Amino acid sequence: PWFSSIAKIDVQAGRQDRERGIVATIEFGYETYGNEFVFVPRYPDAEFCKSEDDGYIMGYINDEADGNHTGYFVVYDAMTMDPTPVCKYRIPQRVPYGLHGIFINEQQFQKQAKT
């Protein structure tokens, strides 16, 4: 599964009107497609976050138009949905479509490591 953009959706508004539910979108660009993105809170403790979208959206995209299928790891500000990435890192090879991931904090990692 691959896609050419990501969207921020207001679930409450979207229940009444699908068009009103779409708050913002980020287009990846011509023949550039993404894998599954994940949300990572700005702070490990939610009480410090300003809102439920205070954090980052991150994932992999592949530029199919450049002939090399260049892969990038990108990070976007989830609150503003600014289409300019906070970070865009070229990775040494293309990441296959369908890659799945999850973000866990240090405490969750340590708990899993003990089991």
Side-chain angles (χ1 to χ4, degrees):
W2 46 274
F3 45 91
S4 60
S5 63
I6 51 177
K8 180 178 182 177
I9 298 173
D10 180 335
V11 177
Q12 295 298 327
R15 286 187 180 142
Q16 289 131 21
D17 179 354
R18 184 172 185 266
E19 295 300 316
R20 275 191 22 208
I22 298 174
V23 175
T25 60
I26 296 174
E27 303 273 335
F28 300 137
Y30 177 73
E31 289 194 21
T32 301
Y33 305 102
N35 279 298
E36 180 180 87
F37 274 60
V38 296
F39 173 79
V40 179
R42 189 175 309 270
Y43 303 101
D45 192 340
E47 74 179 57
F48 295 111
C49 293
K50 298 175 187 172
S51 60
E52 69 181 357
D53 60 355
D54 189 6
Y56 303 97
I57 304 167
M58 53 185 69
Y60 295 100
I61 60 173
N62 293 312
D63 184 348
E64 303 288 343
D66 71 359
N68 297 318
H69 306 284
T70 307
Y72 297 93
F73 176 73
V74 290
V75 179
Y76 295 99
D77 186 314
M79 193 181 303
T80 65
M81 289 294 284
D82 185 336
T84 302
V86 173
C87 171
K88 184 176 182 180
Y89 177 76
R90 183 177 178 179
I91 53 180
Q93 65 187 42
R94 179 183 171 280
V95 173
Y97 294 115
L99 175 75
H100 296 286
I102 188 168
F103 172 80
I104 59 174
N105 64 31
E106 177 70 22
Q107 184 180 14
Q108 293 166 320
F109 178 78
Q110 292 300 332
K111 185 177 178 181
Q112 285 188 2
K114 291 178 184 176
T115 59

